[in-house]
Amino acid sequence: MTSAIRNTLRLSVLDRSRTRKGRTEARALRDTVRFARRAEELGYHRFWVSEHHSVPGVAGSAPTVLAAAVAAATSRIRVGTGGVMLPNHQPLVVAEQFGVLESLYPGRIDMGLGRSVGFTDGIRRALGRDKDAAEGFGDQLTELLGYFTGDQGTHPQVHARPAEGLRPPAFVLATGSGAELAAERGLPLVIGAVRGRETMLRAIDRYRAGFAPSVWGERPYVMVAADVAVAETAERARRLLEPEAWSTAYSRTHGVFPPLVPAEEIAALSMTPRERSLFEEAMSGRVHGTEDEVAAALTELVGSAGADEVLVTTSSYDREELLDSYRRLARLAGLRPGRGGADVDIDTEAAPAAA
């Protein structure tokens, strides 16, 4: 990585608590906590967890609960959500949850917020929402932030305890009009190239142009989310990304995300033409290769986006190879290894299986 970026770019981690073939969902959650401790040791800036409901391949359904476990098992790394899907919740409850987290772990909690709702009618009904709930994200965001500043007007005389007066950083995950909302409210932006690099760059430009300083942020702040895999060879790095890409392709043809399977099983599959096309589409846009190749690709990505931070979102079946990728990435970025996490260990092999 060029000297202009090395030792200056913030690198962070999003772990979705993906389940793996033959392993329990409980283990996936314990692995997330263990992974957070390793990320802290390697010098990553943040560790975020996600929210998914009724998804077979994802165990992370309660991000604030999981964030509390991660914060308890670490000592310095910032901990947050990528994100809490605000349309699924009442803003008062979200404010209270983050108020508790920030009170317990002051100065370490991030409040990443998204506008997605459950992806099937059944999930939305179970959550008490409909597919149009995301359209109210802006109003919900205003109400939520008002509970922290003490000036929310949606429910007069209602106060969020202990959130009022606290300022856990609030990030907007850009989907739909997310970039514009982040700009209007003076909030940091989290964005990925889900709809292509050029679409992402245009959204970032709109965000910067429309940014209005606020009590939450004095200047624009852009965090680019990307799948990044680093290995000894480009081929091994590509294999690391294949389990997640196949899971994505499978979901497009079968309607569910399956648990991750080994890359060797994917290589032996007889994919239909449509499955092959979706698989290759899912692989495109991901950053992978040797350390030199990834350094060059990240330098270009960060330069074109003017990113302040990169949120690495890589998942894979083989957790040891995945951790090696994060080690290599930390090294090429010049991250400074920490002292290690709190004196807590999560032994995924010895822990009891889920009932």
Side-chain angles (χ1 to χ4, degrees):
M1 193 169 287
T2 65
S3 58
I5 297 178
R6 185 178 173 87
N7 298 317
T8 62
L9 178 70
R10 286 176 169 173
L11 283 181
S12 297
V13 177
L14 168 67
D15 188 65
R16 298 186 182 89
S17 303
R18 291 301 313 269
T19 58
R20 287 155 175 82
K21 181 180 178 181
R23 300 175 188 173
T24 65
E25 293 174 335
R27 174 168 175 173
L29 294 171
R30 292 193 294 267
D31 280 349
T32 289
V33 178
R34 189 178 188 184
F35 183 26
R37 298 190 66 226
R38 303 301 176 252
E40 179 174 74
E41 292 167 0
L42 291 170
Y44 284 89
H45 185 59
R46 312 177 200 276
F47 190 94
W48 284 5
V49 296
S50 64
E51 175 183 337
H52 296 273
H53 298 285
S54 191
V55 178
V58 184
S61 57
T64 53
V65 177
L66 186 52
V70 169
T74 54
S75 60
R76 296 174 322 284
I77 194 169
R78 296 196 64 87
V79 176
T81 56
V84 165
M85 298 298 115
L86 197 50
N88 291 337
H89 310 279
Q90 293 298 332
L92 173 63
V93 175
V94 176
E96 291 170 337
Q97 291 172 343
F98 279 97
V100 170
L101 285 170
E102 178 65 18
S103 297
L104 292 173
Y105 307 100
R108 293 182 58 207
I109 299 301
D110 297 325
M111 186 166 58
L113 306 164
R115 67 188 295 274
S116 298
V117 294
F119 68 93
T120 69
D121 289 339
I123 296 171
R124 291 190 290 268
R125 285 195 298 271
L127 291 169
R129 300 293 187 267
D130 58 42
K131 64 181 179 180
D132 297 324
E135 300 306 315
F137 178 66
D139 291 338
Q140 286 190 307
L141 185 60
T142 297
E143 180 183 343
L144 172 64
L145 299 179
Y147 283 119
F148 289 92
T149 59
D151 58 5
Q152 72 83 25
T154 306
H155 301 287
Q157 300 182 335
V158 175
H159 299 268
R161 310 291 186 192
E164 192 167 307
L166 301 179
R167 291 291 189 278
F171 297 76
V172 173
L173 279 62
T175 56
S177 60
E180 287 76 12
L181 286 172
E184 291 171 5
R185 288 157 176 77
L187 299 173
L189 176 71
V190 184
I191 189 168
V194 177
R195 296 179 177 85
R197 175 78 67 90
E198 291 306 314
T199 300
M200 179 186 76
L201 295 179
R202 288 195 296 270
I204 292 173
D205 287 343
R206 293 195 303 273
Y207 165 71
R208 288 202 173 94
F211 187 86
S214 71
V215 297
W216 298 93
E218 296 180 355
R219 65 174 185 84
Y221 190 94
V222 175
M223 188 190 308
V224 172
D227 287 343
V228 182
V230 194
E232 185 177 3
T233 66
E235 181 182 359
R236 291 187 66 176
R238 177 183 166 86
R239 285 206 304 270
L240 194 63
L241 295 173
E242 288 176 346
E244 179 75 16
W246 169 245
S247 181
T248 300
Y250 188 93
S251 74
R252 297 278 301 276
T253 55
H254 294 78
V256 296
F257 279 92
L260 299 177
V261 300
E264 294 76 16
E265 289 190 21
I266 297 167
L269 291 173
S270 296
M271 299 185 193
T272 66
R274 175 164 169 75
E275 288 173 337
R276 175 63 64 181
S277 174
L278 291 171
F279 175 68
E280 293 300 335
E281 179 183 326
M283 285 294 296
S284 67
R286 301 180 186 228
V287 177
H288 67 280
T290 63
E291 291 185 27
D292 287 343
E293 291 169 336
V294 168
L298 280 183
T299 297
E300 193 280 326
L301 172 63
V302 170
S304 63
D308 299 282
E309 186 171 347
V310 173
L311 181 67
V312 184
T313 60
T314 314
S315 296
S316 191
Y317 177 82
D318 191 316
R319 292 200 71 98
E320 286 306 313
E321 287 194 5
L322 181 64
L323 182 58
D324 181 65
S325 174
Y326 277 95
R327 286 194 196 99
R328 291 173 182 269
L329 181 58
R331 182 169 62 233
L332 70 86
L335 301 188
R336 298 178 180 178
R339 294 178 286 106
D343 189 20
V344 177
D345 195 17
I346 306 296
D347 185 349
T348 58
E349 297 296 335

